[in-house]
Amino acid sequence: ECDWSSDVCSSDLKTIPEQKQYILESFPNIGPITAKKLLKEFKTLNNTLNATTEELEKILRKKAVEFKKLLDF
């Protein structure tokens, strides 16, 4: 079933992990592999979004600062 007010049909994202990955992939410079690595490391979106720059640098390296700036904007 599709909600035509959005770009995504519920059949496109079947599982919670897929939905979490999709959300992370919406950030600049975060592709599927990086999103999966972030979720493997931090387990939840909340943990990922609240991680420190230093924690994020393990996976994002130089992009961690840009990611945090976007969240803090």
Side-chain angles (χ1 to χ4, degrees):
E1 180 178 318
C2 291
D3 172 6
W4 297 108
S5 64
S6 73
D7 293 336
V8 179
C9 294
S10 59
S11 61
D12 291 342
L13 299 171
K14 296 179 181 170
T15 66
I16 297 294
E18 288 173 326
Q19 292 176 26
K20 290 178 184 179
Q21 181 180 331
Y22 179 80
I23 290 167
L24 287 175
E25 288 177 31
S26 70
F27 286 90
N29 300 313
I30 306 288
I33 294 170
T34 303
K36 286 178 186 177
K37 287 180 182 179
L38 288 167
L39 289 169
K40 184 176 180 181
E41 176 73 22
F42 298 108
K43 310 292 187 242
T44 68
L45 286 174
N46 196 40
N47 290 346
T48 303
L49 298 176
N50 288 310
T52 66
T53 302
E54 293 75 24
E55 291 170 326
L56 290 166
E57 283 176 342
K58 294 178 198 173
I59 296 166
L60 298 179
R61 302 187 184 177
K62 295 177 188 175
K63 295 183 276 186
V65 173
E66 181 182 334
F67 184 78
K68 287 302 283 186
K69 280 183 182 178
L70 184 61
L71 294 174
D72 294 335
F73 184 67

